[in-house]
Amino acid sequence: MRAEWRANIWMATELLIVSVVLFVLTDRIYTVIATLNEPLGFDTEHCYVLRVRELTEAAPDFKEYASRDERYRDLMTLKQRILARPEISAVTISSNAFPYNPNSSMSQLDIDTFSMADAPILIRRVDPDFFKVFRVEGASGESPERLGEILLQEKVIPSDNTLLRKAGVRSLKGLYGKQMVFQNEDTLTLRASFRPMKFSDYSTIHGWAGASMFRLFHPSYMGFMEGLSVRVNDNMDKNFAEKLMADADKQLRVGNWYVASVDSFSFLKDDFNRNEKSAIRNVVVCALFMLLNIFLGILGTFWFRTRQRQREIALRMVSGATRTDIFRRILGEGELLLLIITPAAVVIDYLLTSYEFTSWYDGYFEPMHFCVSVVAAWLLMAVMIAVGIYFPARRAMGISPAEAMKTD
């Protein structure tokens, strides 16, 4: 009995370690799946970015502008000409704003008594038409057109999860009507928030770029403009880029402004996600490989343990125990060991999560995330133990009691 208890203690210790490792792996896989299933917060289907450039002083047709406003008026004239094309439904000008954009800038936005001094958020400088191009909606169901009106009036619209990482506030709806301070300068009123936009398909809205705000585009940002983003009518995508560039020299040239190239957002999406997609694939493959190794290890341990009890199984059969009774007893012992170590494993899992040693997804402790990972790890362990016991036990019960009781 002492030897059996000693073996069970070592087995329980092994199960505890493996259970914690499985929790970390299932937590990581959960994070990947949850991230991929988050809504993007925007729609880039049928969208293109027109790379707009200016003539240099060396160009024969270079125009000397008397003021910045004149230069900006020419840009707006170009925007209107593009919008007048029959295949285009909306055009927007922006800086560090459109999806799948490697450029970014950060800023401070204080809301009511919440100071963001130590947690700056992503800033997207856009005009009111941005919401129509990318179909961004308000957190309270505001249409893209309505968000554009609010931006024009209030100059700033934050994402609904702006205070999530800072203060655990999931939504700004309860703060509507409160005062906002942008970069310690402008005092504005919070009238609306928008549904969070992901920075990429493989990033989470709970991450550093999940909290962001729209700032009304100002002519002073013309030098940081990436181009004009457009939405094409659903049935007019065919050869859009070729047709537009064919007319670019004659129709889409205003002052020094001209359209240099056209890129589809499907191309930008694939290019932007390539590295992250590869990294996620590597993480998943490594996690699955480790799961396989753990499975084989647990399987081998219980297989060996059950084989060692072959004579005990034969003796019980001689004593009148049925196959079901024997299997239930052996499996019950393995699963009982798992139940005994589970409370200790949950405590360790909680400490790992609290100190952010596991995957960072929600930005803070999230009960559902934690429970799913714990239950998934426990179920995997239970299945591994059952498989490791079932096959050798079945084989042992197939041997005649006389042969099993022979002395080696």
Side-chain angles (χ1 to χ4, degrees):
M1 291 177 64
R2 185 181 298 112
E4 184 174 350
W5 271 103
R6 187 181 297 113
N8 285 337
I9 290 173
W10 282 109
M11 179 64 67
T13 303
E14 178 184 351
L15 290 178
L16 176 62
I17 296 173
V18 172
S19 178
V20 173
V21 174
L22 271 178
F23 168 79
V24 174
L25 292 176
T26 54
D27 178 85
R28 182 57 178 147
I29 294 175
Y30 172 92
T31 300
V32 172
I33 295 173
T35 298
L36 291 177
N37 282 282
E38 286 178 349
L40 291 173
F42 58 85
D43 179 10
T44 57
E45 191 174 1
H46 308 296
C47 290
Y48 298 79
V49 58
L50 280 53
R51 305 293 183 179
V52 177
R53 300 290 183 265
E54 288 184 276
L55 296 175
T56 64
E57 295 182 1
D61 298 334
F62 177 77
K63 177 181 178 180
E64 190 72 40
Y65 288 113
S67 65
R68 182 184 65 189
D69 291 341
E70 183 184 0
R71 179 183 169 215
Y72 187 67
R73 282 196 297 271
D74 278 354
L75 179 59
M76 292 299 98
T77 300
L78 176 61
K79 177 186 173 182
Q80 292 303 316
R81 288 189 184 181
I82 294 172
L83 182 59
R85 296 180 66 90
E87 67 268 40
I88 294 177
S89 61
V91 184
T92 182
I93 180 173
S94 62
S95 173
N96 295 343
F98 63 67
Y100 309 116
N101 190 333
N103 302 315
S104 62
S105 57
M106 310 295 288
S107 185
Q108 180 181 335
L109 179 68
D110 299 336
I111 302 177
D112 196 29
T113 58
F114 297 95
S115 174
M116 306 293 288
D118 58 344
I121 61 177
L122 191 70
I123 180 171
R124 305 172 186 267
R125 296 182 174 90
V126 303
D127 68 6
D129 294 319
F130 183 92
F131 306 102
K132 290 190 292 185
V133 172
F134 297 108
R135 295 181 176 174
V136 178
E137 297 181 347
S140 299
E142 295 91 347
S143 66
E145 291 77 12
R146 177 55 184 157
L147 283 182
E149 294 172 1
I150 296 173
L151 179 66
L152 198 59
Q153 179 183 1
E154 301 298 339
K155 306 299 189 293
V156 173
I157 300 179
S159 62
D160 201 42
N161 65 339
T162 296
L163 297 177
L164 179 60
R165 293 180 63 191
K166 173 69 178 180
V169 178
R170 287 188 169 274
S171 175
L172 298 182
K173 297 175 186 177
L175 296 175
Y176 287 178
K178 301 293 185 179
Q179 295 299 303
M180 299 184 296
V181 179
F182 177 72
Q183 291 183 328
N184 297 321
E185 296 176 0
D186 302 328
T187 300
L188 308 166
T189 302
L190 178 61
R191 299 295 184 191
S193 57
F194 64 92
R195 294 177 181 174
M197 290 176 56
K198 296 177 69 172
F199 196 69
S200 73
D201 293 4
Y202 297 92
S203 64
T204 172
I205 59 174
H206 304 292
W208 69 271
S212 61
M213 65 176 166
F214 289 118
R215 177 71 169 170
L216 185 63
F217 187 89
H218 189 271
S220 60
Y221 297 124
M222 281 187 292
F224 304 99
M225 176 187 63
E226 301 101 350
L228 297 174
S229 302
V230 304
R231 171 168 290 277
V232 176
N233 293 315
D234 295 356
N235 59 344
M236 303 186 75
D237 269 296
K238 187 176 181 181
N239 299 325
F240 166 74
E242 292 80 359
K243 293 176 181 177
L244 186 139
M245 290 306 299
D247 298 334
D249 286 340
K250 295 180 180 179
Q251 300 178 13
L252 304 180
R253 170 86 174 275
V254 180
N256 293 333
W257 298 103
Y258 67 96
V259 178
S261 62
V262 180
D263 292 322
S264 69
F265 270 89
S266 60
F267 168 77
L268 296 179
K269 174 181 178 179
D270 293 341
D271 185 61
F272 189 84
N273 286 330
R274 185 174 293 111
N275 291 336
E276 288 188 81
K277 183 178 181 180
S278 177
I280 291 296
R281 183 173 60 246
N282 292 339
V283 167
V284 172
V285 169
C286 289
L288 293 177
F289 178 75
M290 292 184 67
L291 285 174
L292 177 62
N293 279 271
I294 290 173
F295 173 75
L296 294 177
I298 293 294
L299 180 67
T301 298
F302 278 92
W303 192 296
F304 178 77
R305 176 186 171 90
T306 305
R307 289 279 294 173
Q308 290 293 100
R309 303 177 68 177
Q310 184 170 287
R311 292 180 181 178
E312 177 188 339
I313 294 173
L315 183 60
R316 291 184 181 281
M317 293 182 66
V318 170
S319 301
T322 65
R323 292 174 179 267
T324 302
D325 293 334
I326 294 173
F327 181 73
R328 185 185 297 115
R329 177 181 178 83
I330 297 176
L331 179 61
E333 289 179 0
E335 299 297 350
L336 179 61
L337 285 175
L338 178 59
L339 287 175
I340 291 173
I341 63 94
T342 295
V346 171
V347 171
I348 297 174
D349 296 342
Y350 177 79
L351 292 175
L352 290 175
T353 303
S354 299
Y355 289 101
E356 297 184 359
F357 286 105
T358 54
S359 300
W360 192 55
Y361 171 64
D362 299 286
Y364 57 96
F365 180 77
E366 170 60 38
M368 179 58 70
H369 178 185
F370 178 76
C371 291
V372 169
S373 299
V374 167
V375 171
W378 189 89
L379 288 175
L380 283 172
M381 289 286 293
V383 170
M384 291 177 185
I385 291 172
V387 173
I389 290 174
Y390 175 77
F391 290 103
R394 182 179 179 183
R395 182 176 180 181
M397 286 184 287
I399 301 175
S400 66
E403 183 179 349
M405 296 295 293
K406 287 180 181 179
T407 303
D408 293 336

